[in-house]
Amino acid sequence: MYNILMKIDDTLPWIELKGTYQTQKEAREAAQGFLNSVQIKVVEVSERNKTVKALTSLKIAH
């Protein structure tokens, strides 16, 4: 059984995605599918607001 873990950068912990896979090949294919569906949003931050609240939402389709 295999799980998928991802790490965005050194400031964040490893994230375990939902789902288990019978083979490493299946897990790699699912991870590639996930990477192809990732959405990234870049937003402008006002200079007077020094703190930014982060909201993360992941949806994985199997």
Side-chain angles (χ1 to χ4, degrees):
M1 298 296 284
Y2 295 89
N3 287 352
I4 299 172
L5 299 173
M6 64 178 257
K7 187 166 181 90
I8 296 171
D9 66 22
D10 291 336
T11 63
L12 298 172
W14 284 95
I15 300 168
E16 182 177 349
L17 304 181
K18 288 184 179 180
T20 56
Y21 304 91
Q22 292 292 325
T23 65
Q24 188 174 19
K25 181 180 178 185
E26 288 177 2
R28 287 189 182 277
E29 289 171 355
Q32 187 62 46
F34 172 76
L35 289 174
N36 291 336
S37 68
V38 169
Q39 295 180 4
I40 298 173
K41 189 181 277 191
V42 177
V43 297
E44 183 178 3
V45 178
S46 172
E47 288 187 30
R48 59 186 189 162
N49 293 338
K50 295 193 178 196
T51 60
V52 177
K53 293 182 181 179
L55 173 64
T56 303
S57 177
L58 298 175
K59 180 179 180 184
I60 303 170
H62 289 278

